[in-house]
Amino acid sequence: MGVLSRKAAFLTLGCRVNQYESQALSEALEALGYQPASFSDKCDLYVINTCAVTEESVRKSRQMVRRAMKRNPEAMVCVCGCASQLEPDAFVGIEGVSFVCGTRNKEELIEAVCRGEGKTVSVKKPTGELAPTRITKFDRTRAYVKIQDGCDGKCAYCVIPSVRGDIVLRPEEEIVREVTALARGGCREVVLTGIETAAYGRGLPSLIRQIAAIDGIERIRMGSLEPSFLKPAFIDAIAAIPKVCPHFHLSVQSGSDKTLRRMRRKYNVSMLLNNVAYIKKILPSVNFSADVIVGFPGETEEDFSATCETLKQIGFLHLHIFTYSKRPGTEAETMPDQVEESVKTDRLHRLEALAAEMKEEHLRSLIRAGRPLTVLAETVNDGYLVGHTESFVECGIELDEALCPDRWKGAFLTVEPMRVEKGILIGRAVGNS
């Protein structure tokens, strides 16, 4: 079989940075003649880009490696990412794995594919400059663009600094060139993302202004941001850029000051509320989503109740909720007062119910307001053309004879909100822009 007929599939777990890096690797493999394929297909090459943020994500990473080998025992199976950086032996020991690397040297995967023989292990300490990467396309009208790697945080629960290394920034000019190419390929919206997006610091508004000047890019979003970064000066700077979307994903983690101190976070509830209040004042249409951890060591029922009250006070469109998971080598791993799994699960379900309640109320408020929404049409799902508003409300648009999905995907549609179904706002198109 010639290389031009070979198929390669990716399975990407975890964050948006991993999704970006998988896309960059996929494009490099295409340049070698590999055809992109689904992970469920029988392929010649499988790449599993792993995650280590929780014990469950590491377990699932190993599971996906074994699943790939079952699909084609003759395939080359390559493993990269945070879980293989953290626990390389767990993947090296799986019979049939061809290549294992970590986080900062994923480009070596391409070299391993070119060699194509034997087992290679190259898990190095995540240090040094970033290898040049580039993407020119994305599966959707929205593209994730990596602007930095690494984290210098000392959070008690997090293993990511040890597997991603110190902070390294991609040069502005490299990012701008990449986004320009994406825009030429039809991308309308970019999400600037990183392991610690706020690490771009004072340079972030300048970078955003340069991207806003690129023809074809209509919306700019940012990845997860720590609340302490969202100071008035930063908000004023980006609010002056019309293409910046009024949506922020906050790394909240807890709404209890006591828990935040134990987590070694850089902010308290007062700072969170004050910064959010200022954002709402400057950007009245803003929506927020957040990451929240329940069951951190020492979290009492009173602490959990405080978290719920803080979240209700802010009002979130969406919450990503995790139960605390012990990670090797972290301070929290050996903290006293570990919370029982049954208690973690109970709090998870209660917070999920609160999240659904907050989202439902927000969606119904949009219907009551009766104002048309601008939606970037992205995919087709369950008989609807699905996209998002500027403030990241997911909207399903009813299809009719005049609304051909192939024609309208990637277009901005004016949508009249009508009802809520399964946590999604349903509307009908009344025009396009």
Side-chain angles (χ1 to χ4, degrees):
M1 181 184 293
V3 68
L4 292 177
S5 62
R6 290 184 179 177
K7 295 193 294 184
F10 280 75
L11 193 288
T12 305
L13 296 108
C15 65
R16 291 169 172 177
V17 174
N18 262 9
Q19 293 181 47
Y20 168 88
E21 290 170 348
S22 287
Q23 178 64 26
L25 290 171
S26 178
E27 290 191 27
L29 288 171
E30 279 190 72
L32 294 176
Y34 280 85
Q35 300 174 5
S38 168
F39 193 76
S40 60
D41 293 341
K42 183 177 181 180
C43 298
D44 304 278
L45 170 64
Y46 294 97
V47 179
I48 296 86
N49 196 352
T50 64
C51 176
V53 73
T54 65
E55 184 179 357
E56 173 60 19
S57 60
V58 176
R59 185 200 65 78
K60 188 173 182 181
S61 296
R62 295 194 299 266
Q63 181 187 54
M64 292 300 104
V65 171
R66 293 189 175 94
R67 187 169 296 177
M69 290 187 295
K70 285 183 180 178
R71 294 210 168 110
N72 184 7
E74 304 301 317
M76 184 175 189
V77 177
C78 298
V79 184
C80 60
C82 292
S84 54
Q85 180 76 46
L86 181 68
E87 301 180 15
D89 292 345
F91 297 92
V92 172
I94 299 176
E95 185 177 353
V97 170
S98 306
F99 176 75
V100 179
C101 71
T103 55
R104 285 279 179 94
N105 62 329
K106 290 181 180 179
E107 72 282 355
E108 291 185 18
L109 187 150
I110 304 300
E111 300 169 12
V113 171
C114 290
R115 291 193 302 269
E117 293 182 359
K119 175 177 281 194
T120 305
V121 180
S122 181
V123 179
K124 304 172 182 177
K125 187 176 180 180
T127 58
E129 295 301 310
L130 299 178
T133 56
R134 183 174 69 100
I135 65 172
T136 60
K137 58 187 176 180
F138 220 72
D139 290 340
R140 294 159 286 191
T141 52
R142 178 186 307 111
Y144 301 137
V145 174
K146 176 180 170 180
I147 67 171
Q148 66 84 222
D149 205 335
C151 179
D152 61 3
K154 306 297 181 184
C155 299
Y157 55 84
C158 189
V159 75
I160 297 305
S162 66
V163 297
R164 281 285 181 173
D166 294 334
I167 289 170
V168 182
L169 308 182
R170 288 184 73 195
E172 280 189 2
E173 59 272 18
E174 182 180 316
I175 298 167
V176 171
R177 281 197 303 269
E178 185 169 62
V179 176
T180 301
L182 287 166
R184 288 172 182 159
C187 178
R188 309 298 297 278
E189 179 180 307
V190 292
V191 183
L192 306 180
T193 191
I195 299 302
E196 181 63 53
T197 309
Y200 221 86
R202 294 180 181 179
L204 192 51
S206 170
L207 176 62
I208 293 172
R209 281 191 289 270
Q210 292 180 66
I211 291 173
I214 298 171
D215 288 340
I217 298 299
E218 301 297 334
R219 290 179 176 177
I220 302 169
R221 302 186 191 275
M222 286 162 283
S224 179
L225 295 169
E226 187 177 281
S228 62
F229 182 70
L230 298 173
K231 296 179 172 64
F234 174 73
I235 299 304
D236 290 343
I238 63 170
I241 307 170
K243 291 182 180 180
V244 172
C245 291
H247 170 259
F248 295 90
H249 185 82
L250 308 180
S251 181
V252 171
Q253 310 307 354
S254 175
S256 158
D257 278 338
K258 191 187 86 175
T259 303
L260 289 171
R261 284 194 298 270
R262 289 171 67 87
M263 287 179 167
R264 309 286 186 251
R265 300 295 284 171
K266 300 175 184 177
Y267 52 89
N268 56 27
V269 172
S270 177
M271 183 186 296
L272 168 65
L273 294 176
N274 287 340
N275 287 353
V276 164
Y278 188 81
I279 296 170
K280 288 182 177 181
K281 176 183 175 182
I282 301 301
L283 297 168
S285 62
V286 71
N287 276 332
F288 297 98
S289 54
D291 296 321
V292 183
I293 297 171
V294 297
F296 187 77
E299 183 189 65
T300 64
E301 183 62 26
E302 182 181 6
D303 297 326
F304 176 70
S305 296
T307 291
C308 293
E309 289 304 312
T310 300
L311 299 176
K312 284 192 286 187
Q313 188 171 342
I314 294 171
F316 283 91
L317 175 67
H318 185 72
L319 297 179
H320 293 280
I321 310 165
F322 304 87
T323 56
Y324 167 72
S325 175
K326 285 185 180 181
R327 308 311 299 127
T330 61
E331 180 184 355
E333 181 186 19
T334 57
M335 278 185 174
D337 302 320
Q338 297 284 329
V339 178
E340 293 288 340
E341 291 299 325
S342 60
V343 175
K344 293 180 191 177
T345 301
D346 175 66
R347 290 176 184 170
L348 170 70
H349 293 329
R350 288 156 62 192
L351 198 51
E352 285 174 337
L354 174 59
E357 180 184 313
M358 289 190 292
K359 184 176 185 179
E360 178 92 3
E361 172 53 31
H362 180 70
L363 297 184
R364 295 202 178 280
S365 73
L366 296 175
I367 296 171
R368 291 194 298 270
R371 289 188 292 271
L373 306 171
T374 300
V375 177
L376 174 58
E378 300 161 23
T379 60
V380 176
N381 190 26
D382 289 337
Y384 295 107
L385 185 59
V386 180
H388 289 81
T389 68
E390 284 186 336
S391 57
F392 214 56
V393 173
E394 187 176 18
C395 187
I397 307 166
E398 292 184 332
L399 294 171
D400 56 33
E401 292 181 1
L403 199 62
C404 173
D406 291 336
R407 176 184 176 190
W408 290 112
K409 274 198 293 188
F412 288 96
L413 301 176
T414 303
V415 176
E416 178 187 344
M418 297 167 58
R419 63 186 183 277
V420 178
E421 285 184 7
K422 299 178 181 178
I424 296 176
L425 187 66
I426 303 298
R428 63 185 181 92
V430 294
N432 65 286
S433 55

